[in-house]
Amino acid sequence: MDSTSILSPSEKFTLISRNLQEILGEDQLKLMLKERDIKLYWGTATTGKPHIAYFVPMTKIADFLKAGCEVTILFADLHAYLDNMKAPWELLKQRVLYYENIIKAMLKSLGVSLEKLKFIRGTDYQLSKEYTLDVYKLSSIVTDHDARKAGAEVVKQVEHPLLSGLLYPGLQALDEEYLKVDAQFGGVDQRKIFTFAEKYLPHLGYAKRIHLMNPMIPGLTGSKMSSSEEDSKIDLIDSAAQLKKKLKRAFCEPGNIKDNGLLSFCKHVLFQLPAVKDGFAVSRKEENGGNVVYKNYDELESAFAKEELHPGDFKIAVEFYLNELLDPIRKEFETPEMKALIKAAYSPAQKAPAKEEEVTPSRLDFRVGRILSVEKHPDADSLYIEKVDLGEDAPRTVVSGLAGLIPMEELNNKLGVFLCNLKSQKMRGIESQAMLMCASKNEPRQVEMLDPPEGSSEGEVIFIEGHMGTPDKELKPKKKIWEKLQPEFLVNTSGIAEWNGYQMRSKLGLVKSSSLRNVPIK
């Protein structure tokens, strides 16, 4: 008789829910367990190499199987590509094969029977006519705001996101319907995608699912464990020597139980292993207290918090249990076939040719400045020398070619827009430390300062919509950044300053020219 058949619904719920951080739909789960076993899936995007934190969901999958759940593991290859192309299209097949082999090896190391599991690849069904039609239906009702919000914790965030990243949450929601499951399991970092699914699936006539969430495990540096941060994680096929080296560097402050990735790993993985059923053994010298066995995780955590257990002794014990866990996996990946697969899926990156430096207006430091005084240049009839308050400790000197075009009295105490990160240069012996921005017309010759938004103050930042960012500290003259961007700066037919169609503004409003229209800004 299957041992799961003699478990009560409450015992099954205990197995399913232990060590989870949150369950959305807990009451629905309890009711369902009174009638039948549930079907659930866990998905992983096949991007960077899985690391030891993957044992956290694997131990929960073992719990789900013990509770009689039907479990599907989804290798989300299409999702891996859509998430800012973390997995290039030409590598998808090799990445999926690596994930499939490494995860099966992990489960076998935990003593989980693969016969009870179903494995599926996203592209097995996500390219079907029906699924594609549902993607279109979903895109017709999902707002840009909701798509961005849903993917905020999972999809790589960049200044100018690709459309593919906005599709990602919708596809993950649809997976619940196309895999015909009752629940989805994942990390708490996916909570926004789960609530997105709960909101939008019913709009397509599909049922709202249960969502089970694991806590996020700190990495070796004390932050979230990440495949892209080498120092924060232990690879599943790291050698014993590599493991020892990484554990020595791992953050493990005496008494600190909050940001301790090793303690979290003990709680969620090691204490679930048969090897630790009789307790977590720490070997140490007699003068350091002698050998000790902690019967459960609470005892271990308490001893560490009280500083009764030294981080060095604790790390040695973790190293022993981790080697026990990783040795079977290492052996499976020592074959020529597996080594070839690793090379094909994660070959060392070829040094890419140097990219052409991106030239965008976010590199320009525009600020509001107040002209405190104006005088004529002693050696140039066409130049003024202005003292300008840019919200700094001391005024800057600005030399401008406005003499004969704008009377000095009109400039005094006037607010203008200044480019502040050009390299200072001498103009007829006087060093100019910024450039005053003006609308300029050639025939007949006419120039007027750009007007900052009403209510502006000295030092107010001026930016180009859609191109915010940290400006260069100083624009290198040889790079000619300003010279490349300047031709696209103009005052449009409405008198609004813009670059390539994007408006120039501050948080208070738009930068304008009082009378000139459809002219360049210089």
Side-chain angles (χ1 to χ4, degrees):
M1 181 182 292
D2 188 344
S3 60
T4 62
S5 63
I6 60 175
L7 294 176
S8 68
S10 62
E11 289 171 325
K12 290 180 179 181
F13 176 78
T14 299
L15 271 173
I16 290 169
S17 61
R18 71 174 179 178
N19 286 333
L20 292 180
Q21 181 164 326
E22 186 178 4
I23 299 175
L24 298 177
E26 183 174 321
D27 291 341
Q28 182 185 355
L29 173 61
K30 289 178 178 178
L31 287 173
M32 198 173 288
L33 287 172
K34 290 179 181 179
E35 300 174 0
R36 61 174 175 84
D37 291 324
I38 68 164
K39 298 177 182 179
L40 62 83
Y41 95 91
W42 173 75
T44 180
T46 51
T47 53
K49 284 184 180 179
H51 44 72
I52 61 164
Y54 275 62
F55 273 114
V56 178
M58 294 304 107
T59 54
K60 280 310 303 173
I61 285 171
D63 281 344
F64 299 149
L65 292 169
K66 289 174 188 174
C69 301
E70 293 182 35
V71 181
T72 296
I73 291 181
L74 169 66
F75 298 114
D77 48 355
L78 190 56
H79 290 71
Y81 177 73
L82 291 175
D83 187 1
N84 254 291
M85 293 182 287
K86 285 182 180 177
W89 191 263
E90 62 274 12
L91 291 182
L92 283 183
K93 184 177 179 180
Q94 289 82 3
R95 294 274 174 96
V96 171
L97 283 172
Y98 180 81
Y99 265 70
E100 186 171 345
N101 280 279
I102 200 82
I103 284 174
K104 286 180 177 178
M106 291 174 71
L107 291 168
K108 284 191 282 184
S109 179
L110 291 170
V112 176
S113 171
L114 301 183
E115 294 177 4
K116 300 179 180 180
L117 285 165
K118 180 180 178 182
F119 297 92
I120 190 168
R121 302 179 187 199
T123 47
D124 288 343
Y125 65 91
Q126 290 166 349
L127 301 177
S128 69
K129 177 182 176 181
E130 295 77 15
Y131 188 93
T132 303
L133 183 57
D134 272 342
V135 172
Y136 285 131
K137 288 180 180 177
L138 201 57
S139 67
S140 71
I141 57 174
V142 173
T143 64
D144 169 82
H145 171 269
D146 282 2
R148 289 175 186 268
K149 181 180 176 183
E153 302 295 326
V154 177
V155 180
K156 184 178 179 181
Q157 299 300 296
V158 294
E159 184 178 356
H160 301 294
L162 299 173
L163 177 60
S164 58
L166 300 179
L167 293 175
Y168 190 112
L171 269 63
Q172 187 168 336
L174 288 173
D175 289 340
E176 296 180 349
E177 174 64 25
Y178 279 79
L179 292 172
K180 301 302 178 186
V181 295
D182 305 303
Q184 183 181 174
F185 166 58
V188 73
D189 60 335
Q190 300 195 52
R191 191 182 195 280
K192 290 177 181 177
I193 290 183
F194 292 161
T195 55
F196 173 95
E198 291 188 359
K199 175 180 179 180
Y200 281 106
L201 280 187
H203 285 282
L204 299 183
Y206 298 142
K208 184 165 69 172
R209 266 62 178 194
I210 299 161
H211 294 102
L212 313 169
M213 283 168 274
N214 253 344
M216 300 309 295
I217 301 301
L220 301 183
T221 58
S223 59
K224 174 184 171 182
M225 197 174 290
S226 168
S227 296
S228 60
E229 294 182 31
E230 189 61 30
D231 288 341
S232 81
K233 52 95 177 181
I234 293 168
D235 196 289
L236 294 163
I237 52 177
D238 275 349
S239 67
Q242 288 172 313
L243 173 63
K244 181 184 287 290
K245 183 179 179 181
K246 288 183 178 180
L247 285 176
K248 280 186 177 180
R249 294 189 309 210
F251 178 79
C252 194
E253 185 180 41
N256 185 342
I257 61 174
K258 183 180 179 183
D259 303 311
N260 195 317
L262 297 183
L263 273 175
S264 295
F265 190 78
C266 287
K267 177 180 180 179
H268 292 281
V269 178
L270 297 185
F271 271 93
Q272 315 306 320
L273 301 178
V276 192
K277 66 178 180 179
D278 295 323
F280 184 87
V282 178
S283 300
R284 55 188 181 183
K285 296 177 181 179
E286 287 298 325
E287 58 264 34
N288 294 329
N291 297 344
V292 63
V293 176
Y294 299 100
K295 295 179 181 178
N296 53 56
Y297 174 75
D298 289 340
E299 284 188 8
L300 173 66
E301 184 185 273
S302 176
F304 193 87
K306 295 175 183 176
E307 299 189 30
E308 296 169 355
L309 176 61
H310 189 273
D313 296 322
F314 173 50
K315 286 182 179 182
I316 291 172
V318 171
E319 181 185 349
F320 169 79
Y321 287 112
L322 269 176
N323 276 319
E324 291 281 300
L325 195 58
L326 297 179
D327 274 342
I329 302 172
R330 291 168 180 152
K331 287 176 183 176
E332 287 209 24
F333 280 80
E334 284 175 356
T335 66
E337 293 80 9
M338 288 297 102
K339 287 181 179 180
L341 175 58
I342 295 169
K343 186 176 180 180
Y346 298 99
S347 57
Q350 298 292 321
K351 189 173 182 180
K355 288 185 178 180
E356 187 175 342
E357 194 171 28
E358 189 177 18
V359 180
T360 71
S362 63
R363 299 181 64 175
L364 306 177
D365 181 10
F366 289 117
R367 280 182 260 160
V368 174
R370 184 181 297 278
I371 299 175
L372 303 176
S373 64
V374 187
E375 61 182 72
K376 285 190 174 181
H377 194 294
D379 296 320
D381 292 339
S382 62
L383 301 180
Y384 283 148
I385 300 171
E386 300 132 13
K387 291 293 182 183
V388 181
D389 181 359
L390 288 159
E392 299 169 326
D393 293 338
R396 293 199 195 189
T397 299
V398 177
V399 180
S400 63
L402 299 181
L405 296 171
I406 301 178
M408 280 195 293
E409 57 270 20
E410 289 186 17
L411 296 177
N412 264 317
N413 204 39
K414 185 172 175 63
L415 288 176
V417 176
F418 293 81
L419 179 56
C420 299
N421 60 341
L422 287 169
K423 185 176 181 178
S424 298
Q425 60 176 331
K426 286 188 177 181
M427 298 180 69
R428 293 291 187 94
I430 305 294
E431 187 172 296
S432 183
Q433 299 168 319
M435 184 165 71
L436 175 61
M437 306 311 299
C438 295
S440 178
K441 180 181 177 183
N442 284 332
E443 295 182 8
R445 185 76 171 122
Q446 191 176 353
V447 175
E448 60 187 31
M449 292 171 56
L450 294 181
D451 294 324
E454 188 175 347
S456 294
S457 57
E458 298 84 349
E460 190 87 56
V461 173
I462 300 293
F463 58 89
I464 306 299
E465 283 187 340
H467 295 276
M468 293 187 69
T470 303
D472 291 13
K473 187 175 181 180
E474 181 182 81
L475 298 174
K476 305 300 181 186
K478 289 183 179 179
K479 306 258 184 184
K480 297 189 179 296
I481 303 300
W482 166 245
E483 289 81 0
K484 292 175 182 177
L485 293 168
Q486 188 274 326
E488 300 299 329
F489 276 93
L490 57 84
V491 174
N492 64 23
T493 54
S494 300
I496 297 169
E498 63 176 43
W499 177 84
N500 205 21
Y502 294 93
Q503 294 176 333
M504 194 175 191
R505 62 175 303 131
S506 75
K507 64 183 180 182
L508 297 175
L510 299 172
V511 174
K512 299 180 179 180
S513 178
S514 57
S515 65
L516 291 180
R517 300 290 183 269
N518 202 28
V519 297
I521 295 170
K522 298 180 180 179

